[in-house]
């Protein structure tokens, strides 16, 4: 298995632009998580899905952020409009069941100018 | 708020020495996990210890858990330069299986 796949690996955009981050979880994993990592705040859970259904999005910073999981093999995290304070590394992770180890993707480094 | 907090924030040791990192948390947990992150990479799971376990070993790793003190420690024995990375503890609280991560300990192993 190729592991969790994220794209793009790096994204540089200008303030106000829409940004879409993509994730392909490991096949058979029922849970998918989106995290954001910054020096100041560390690793924060944004949202997680179970069987493609969003379970808890309380970590999503504001309405500019949205996430979808249209099927078991694909999820997106969208920021519209983007702001410089959104600059961070965004990780996607998956796991076959709750309470188990999570498998992380390589992350997307987002820079908003 | 962060559930787990690692201590120290940074640690520098010579190759061959042992490295000990500590994690404290605030509320009851189901499991505590340790992850490693190499610079510019995603997190990699190292070991999971359940709330009813006190100690667990995996290769050169030894993890202890003291639920009465709400703390855990990760010991890496006979460290290698390749162990240079940031180490995070993550907890999932009673009634919730979402992981909450600490800010990590940055370990540097000098050859």
């Amino acid at each position: 298995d190729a592991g969790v796949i994220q794209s793009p690996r790096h994204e540089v955009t200008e303030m106000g632009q829409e940004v879409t981050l993509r994730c392909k979880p490991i096949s058979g994993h029922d849970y998918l998580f989106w995290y954001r990592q910054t020096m100041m705040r560390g690793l924060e859970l944004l949202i997680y899905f179970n069987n493609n259904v969003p379970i808890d999005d309380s970590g999503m910073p504001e309405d500019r952020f949205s996430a979808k999981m249209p099927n078991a093999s694909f999820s997106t995290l969208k920021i519209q409009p983007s702001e410089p304070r959104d600059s961070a590394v965004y990780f996607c992770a998956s796991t076959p069941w709750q309470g188990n180890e999570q498998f992380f993707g390589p992350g997307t480094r987002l820079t908003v100018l | 708020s962060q559930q787990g907090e690692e201590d120290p924030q940074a640690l520098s040791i010579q190759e061959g020495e042992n490295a000990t990192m500590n994690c404290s948390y605030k509320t009851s947990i189901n499991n505590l996990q340790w992850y490693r992150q190499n610079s510019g990479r995603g997190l990699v799971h190292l070991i999971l210890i359940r709330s009813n376990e006190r100690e667990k070993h995996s290769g050169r790793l030894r993890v202890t858990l003291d639920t009465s003190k709400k703390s855990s420690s990760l010991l890496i024995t006979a460290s290698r330069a390749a162990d240079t990375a940031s180490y995070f503890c993550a907890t999932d609280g009673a009634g919730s299986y979402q992981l909450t991560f600490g800010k990590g300990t940055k370990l540097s192993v000098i050859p």
Side-chain angles (χ1 to χ4, degrees):
Chain A
D1 199 317
V4 175
I5 299 172
Q6 291 187 247
S7 66
R9 293 292 310 277
H10 302 272
E11 177 82 29
V12 180
T13 190
E14 293 189 345
M15 184 174 62
Q17 295 298 307
E18 177 180 295
V19 175
T20 299
L21 311 181
R22 297 173 176 80
C23 174
K24 176 178 168 55
I26 293 172
S27 177
H29 283 195
D30 290 338
Y31 292 86
L32 182 140
F33 305 82
W34 282 101
Y35 292 92
R36 178 173 67 177
Q37 186 177 38
T38 61
M39 289 293 292
M40 289 295 295
R41 300 175 66 87
L43 198 65
E44 303 173 283
L45 176 66
L46 300 177
I47 185 172
Y48 80 96
F49 295 82
N50 178 20
N51 291 322
N52 314 336
V53 177
I55 302 301
D56 188 341
D57 65 354
S58 59
M60 297 285 262
E62 46 199 276
D63 292 345
R64 297 184 298 106
F65 285 69
S66 62
K68 294 182 179 179
M69 193 164 185
N71 57 62
S73 60
F74 184 65
S75 177
T76 59
L77 178 67
K78 186 177 291 186
I79 308 172
Q80 166 64 13
S82 58
E83 297 182 2
R85 60 190 168 125
D86 302 330
S87 297
V89 182
Y90 291 80
F91 289 102
C92 175
S94 69
T95 190
W97 60 81
Q98 286 280 40
N100 193 53
E101 67 174 280
Q102 293 186 14
F103 296 79
F104 280 76
T108 295
R109 181 173 294 276
L110 173 65
T111 303
V112 183
L113 303 174
Chain B
S1 63
Q2 295 287 350
Q3 167 75 312
E5 292 190 9
E6 292 88 347
D7 168 60
Q9 290 187 339
L11 179 61
S12 184
I13 59 174
Q14 294 290 129
E15 199 166 32
E17 294 180 339
N18 295 340
T20 299
M21 289 158 271
N22 303 297
C23 169
S24 60
Y25 56 92
K26 296 175 182 172
T27 61
S28 297
I29 62 170
N30 293 310
N31 307 299
L32 186 143
Q33 304 183 37
W34 285 91
Y35 287 79
R36 183 187 74 221
Q37 184 179 32
N38 290 86
S39 181
R41 303 286 189 92
L43 280 73
V44 174
H45 181 264
L46 295 175
I47 197 164
L48 180 152
I49 187 165
R50 304 196 185 281
S51 59
N52 61 354
E53 296 176 311
R54 292 297 167 257
E55 187 171 314
K56 204 161 184 180
H57 297 254
S58 177
R60 294 184 296 113
L61 306 180
R62 172 178 169 251
V63 170
T64 61
L65 178 64
D66 187 335
T67 53
S68 65
K69 294 181 180 179
K70 292 186 170 59
S71 68
S72 173
S73 67
L74 171 67
L75 169 66
I76 303 174
T77 60
S79 65
R80 306 166 181 169
D83 295 327
T84 295
S86 291
Y87 292 82
F88 296 86
C89 70
T91 55
D92 53 15
S96 169
Y97 287 91
Q98 298 177 47
L99 286 183
T100 303
F101 286 82
K103 290 196 175 181
T105 292
K106 190 168 186 177
L107 174 66
S108 298
V109 181
I110 303 165

